[in-house]
Amino acid sequence: MGLEATPSGERVHIGFFGVRNAGKSSVVNAVTGQDLAVVSNVAGTTTDPVSKAMELLPLGPVVVVDTPGIDDEGGLGELRVRKARQALRRCDVAVLVVDVARGLTDADRMLLNEFAVRKLPHVVALNKADLLADGQEVELAQNEVLVSAREGTGIFELKERLGALAASSGHRRLLVSDLLEEGDLVVLVCPIDASAPKGRLILPQQLVMRDVIDAHASALVCQPEELRGLLASLVRSPRIVITDSQAFGRVAAMVPEGVPLTSFSILMARYKGSLDALVRGAQALASLSDKSRVLISEGCTHHRQCEDIGTVKMPTWIRAYAGADPTFEFTSGGEFPDDPSAYDLVVHCGGCMLNEREMAHRMAACQAAGVPMVNYGVAIAQMHGILARSLEPFA
Ligand SMILES: Nc1nc2c(ncn2[C@@H]2O[C@H](COP(=O)(O)OP(=O)(O)OP(=O)(O)O)[C@@H](O)[C@H]2O)c(=O)[nH]1
Ligand SMILES: [Mg+2]
């Protein structure tokens, strides 16, 4: 696969972190073999995370991210620290760069702790080995490598370690936190109707909430009826509004144009890596005819909320949108045809109860049979004319 063929979202992101002047930018330059980042002896040289997509042998396509010092201080400094921490959330693999003579600082320990909390695979690069006195021994822990960005020693070993970590990490997708900064405000619109489960929220809503607070942003949750009042009461615009797909039409009318808006199901599809295919599948809705066969498939059997949407609302919406009366068939739970080629379109639920492998299997079956597949959320957005707006946040 060529360099251009791998979108940034699919590449392994490798972030370099550490205190000011540890040599992060120098190590980035040594690892990439390029003068990517500005280096100087002024503490706080790197003021913004710098990302660069590149082919890094033997790792393959990656994004390398240089970051500001994690110990920066003062008003501007705090802003930089925030940006560094934000970059951390996007990384699949981390390098902690430490000045070997100085050793680990409190800020470094905090970073290591954060790596552990996030289960982020990482390696510690003890830099400036060239400054060690001749014969000075350094005891290396298992996840430490001694390097000198200046002389290039240990850099090959560091790259090999990174290769191994990258291979084992896979790419970790995020629901929404990659769009957020610390302190952002997110509004979540969760209609509670007869089909909502009793006494709790559904999984995509829970997952998004968790991801929002992971990003140190805040979430405000309301039903569509309260949205107008809630938005009016805010002193600043929310970073994004996320709504249940079924309320998208109503919600879109209330959220000002400049405020990004999307749905839980679109976030879930993006998280699972299937958004592009589903958006293509949505194009097939308009061309359905009376002769078409549509399979409506649900992952869960035990939730009223899906049944109602799948068997009643979805066929009604599709008939109205296509201006035709196609034949609908239904499956639920573990049932799914091995060969869906008899259908002109498969409309699937969000798949929150199916594991990713099963969902991927179903998408692959459709792809092999040349049958377009769309999920409820993307289909609803398309049929309500709001798909384009709900994809804007990821443009
Ligand atoms: N002797 C020696 N000096 C190094 C090495 N790596 C970096 N330096 C020096 O350390 C200083 C800081 O290097 P940078 O790469 O700018 O450090 P940084 O961690 O990116 O610093 P900030 O961007 O300010 O957070 C510069 O003067 C570098 O030349 C090394 O391996 N050996
Ligand atoms: Mg730097």
Side-chain angles (χ1 to χ4, degrees):
M1 196 182 264
L3 190 57
E4 297 77 18
T6 312
S8 163
E10 302 297 320
R11 291 165 174 265
V12 173
H13 284 52
I14 304 175
F16 291 74
F17 302 90
V19 297
R20 288 167 296 172
N21 265 345
K24 300 176 294 300
S25 299
S26 304
V27 172
V28 165
N29 290 345
V31 164
T32 60
Q34 300 182 18
D35 277 338
L36 201 66
V38 181
V39 167
S40 89
N41 58 4
V42 177
T45 300
T46 306
T47 54
D48 277 299
V50 178
S51 304
K52 175 93 198 278
M54 57 172 49
E55 206 78 31
L56 198 60
L57 293 171
L59 281 73
V62 298
V63 173
V64 168
V65 187
D66 186 19
T67 66
I70 202 76
D71 61 337
D72 212 337
E73 45 209 11
L76 267 180
E78 272 171 30
L79 213 78
R80 291 173 192 152
V81 171
R82 261 214 243 169
K83 287 188 172 164
R85 296 170 65 113
Q86 195 189 351
L88 200 156
R89 286 197 297 278
R90 294 202 192 105
C91 286
D92 306 298
V93 173
V95 181
L96 175 61
V97 180
V98 175
D99 181 333
V100 67
R102 191 173 173 200
L104 284 181
T105 64
D106 286 345
D108 291 321
R109 289 196 190 87
M110 186 224 34
L111 269 173
L112 285 171
N113 183 48
E114 200 138 335
F115 295 165
V117 168
R118 291 179 186 280
K119 302 193 169 45
L120 188 61
H122 61 275
V123 55
V124 179
L126 299 171
N127 187 35
K128 310 195 185 182
D130 56 288
L131 294 183
L132 291 173
D134 275 346
Q136 189 178 338
E137 291 276 330
V138 181
E139 229 176 273
L140 294 175
Q142 212 217 325
N143 65 347
E144 292 175 340
V145 188
L146 191 61
V147 304
S148 163
R150 176 155 297 172
E151 300 191 331
T153 55
I155 297 298
F156 183 76
E157 190 188 344
L158 175 60
K159 284 166 79 166
E160 287 202 315
R161 296 270 195 122
L162 288 175
L165 292 176
S168 68
S169 80
H171 182 69
R172 291 136 35 107
R173 293 192 182 84
L174 299 167
L175 268 168
V176 66
S177 56
D178 56 324
L179 306 175
L180 305 177
E181 289 181 22
E182 287 182 33
D184 274 347
L185 200 61
V186 178
V187 173
L188 308 177
V189 187
C190 309
I192 304 295
D193 58 18
S195 62
K198 208 165 186 265
R200 63 174 176 82
L201 295 167
I202 58 173
L203 188 61
Q205 296 164 348
Q206 295 175 28
L207 293 175
V208 167
M209 261 183 234
R210 171 61 196 265
D211 197 41
V212 168
I213 62 172
D214 269 348
H216 292 275
S218 310
L220 287 165
V221 189
C222 71
Q223 295 203 50
E225 292 75 11
E226 281 67 53
L227 180 61
R228 199 181 296 280
L230 174 64
L231 290 175
S233 73
L234 297 178
V235 292
R236 60 190 162 117
S237 284
R239 170 60 58 122
I240 188 167
V241 176
I242 302 161
T243 179
D244 181 275
S245 308
Q246 291 197 70
F248 209 127
R250 264 193 297 166
V251 169
M254 288 185 264
V255 176
E257 273 303 322
V259 177
L261 170 67
T262 194
S263 68
F264 290 104
S265 45
I266 283 172
L267 290 180
M268 289 299 287
R270 185 179 77 115
Y271 179 63
K272 292 175 180 172
S274 53
L275 186 57
D276 291 348
L278 296 171
V279 168
R280 281 196 300 276
Q283 313 304 318
L285 282 161
S287 49
L288 293 173
S289 71
D290 293 351
K291 295 203 181 72
S292 303
R293 285 176 73 188
V294 177
L295 177 68
I296 297 187
S297 186
E298 288 177 347
C300 39
T301 50
H302 51 294
H303 285 116
R304 279 260 330 137
Q305 86 248 26
C306 290
E307 263 171 48
D308 181 41
I309 300 170
T311 55
V312 184
K313 292 182 187 165
M314 196 54 78
T316 308
W317 285 326
I318 292 177
R319 282 191 196 102
Y321 179 72
D325 191 14
T327 305
F328 291 98
E329 290 172 39
F330 305 91
T331 65
S332 64
E335 305 165 61
F336 194 80
D338 286 332
D339 177 11
S341 58
Y343 299 98
D344 297 290
L345 175 66
V346 172
V347 183
H348 207 290
C349 75
C352 60
M353 292 298 163
L354 293 176
N355 70 25
E356 273 189 55
R357 192 167 294 167
E358 174 62 19
M359 206 58 196
H361 168 77
R362 292 181 180 193
M363 290 203 78
C366 287
Q367 216 155 24
V371 178
M373 178 166 162
V374 64
N375 73 3
Y376 286 5
V378 175
I380 291 170
Q382 170 77 11
M383 293 188 288
H384 288 69
I386 46 202
L387 185 58
R389 182 169 185 193
S390 57
L391 296 175
E392 261 169 30
F394 323 114

